[in-house]
Amino acid sequence: PTAVRPPRAHRAPLCQTASGSGRRSWPPICTTWTSTDEQDGTEVRFTARVIASVAADPEPPRPADPGPFPPDLHICVIDDSEGSRQLLQHHLLHRVTRNVHVFGESVRDVEPFIKRTMAVAHIAVVDQNLEYGPKE
């Protein structure tokens, strides 16, 4: 006969800073996780469920030190990757200028990107491999 251990459940809330260093940084990441383990003889089954949320910054970050950049500098960005758009927007807003215009959610953003770039941009950041679905 093999020993069967009934499932055990664990639950814990966890809030930490985005950097994990213990210093307060924005945004805080809060997670709640639950896990269960179950054993039947030599077989052990683990199940984990993690619910995570990231608090949104109520306003865009302001450049701490504009450095050599003029305050009226405008940068236009087009990228088909949501993650790349978010990273570029965050770092450009935080480190360079508040005048960042981001495009690329769909192929419909190409024409507005070109118009805005021609009208106000001093710098254009263009993803060299824009790829949209076959319908676009």
Side-chain angles (χ1 to χ4, degrees), residues 16-133:
Q16 64 185 23
T17 61
S19 65
S21 66
R23 290 181 289 126
R24 174 114 171 103
S25 64
W26 194 261
I29 300 171
C30 294
T31 61
T32 300
W33 62 272
T34 59
S35 69
T36 59
D37 59 65
E38 184 175 347
Q39 183 172 353
D40 184 2
T42 58
E43 184 178 310
V44 179
R45 290 179 291 280
F46 295 96
T47 305
R49 180 172 173 223
V50 178
I51 302 169
S53 62
V54 177
D57 191 348
E59 64 181 73
R62 292 200 167 116
D65 176 16
F69 303 106
D72 62 341
L73 180 70
H74 284 260
I75 301 174
C76 289
V77 174
I78 189 165
D79 199 309
D80 58 347
S81 164
E82 175 69 23
S84 294
R85 287 193 307 271
Q86 288 177 354
L87 283 170
L88 283 164
Q89 183 172 27
H90 173 80
H91 288 289
L92 291 171
L93 282 171
H94 184 69
R95 299 169 191 267
V96 181
T97 180
R98 294 187 53 91
N99 302 311
V100 178
H101 314 280
V102 180
F103 302 86
E105 201 169 304
S106 75
V107 73
R108 292 181 296 279
D109 276 359
V110 173
E111 187 175 339
F113 165 77
I114 293 170
K115 286 180 180 179
R116 177 60 67 95
T117 300
M118 297 302 290
V120 300
H122 299 98
I123 298 171
V125 179
V126 181
D127 178 356
Q128 69 178 4
N129 295 312
L130 287 174
E131 293 182 16
Y132 297 102

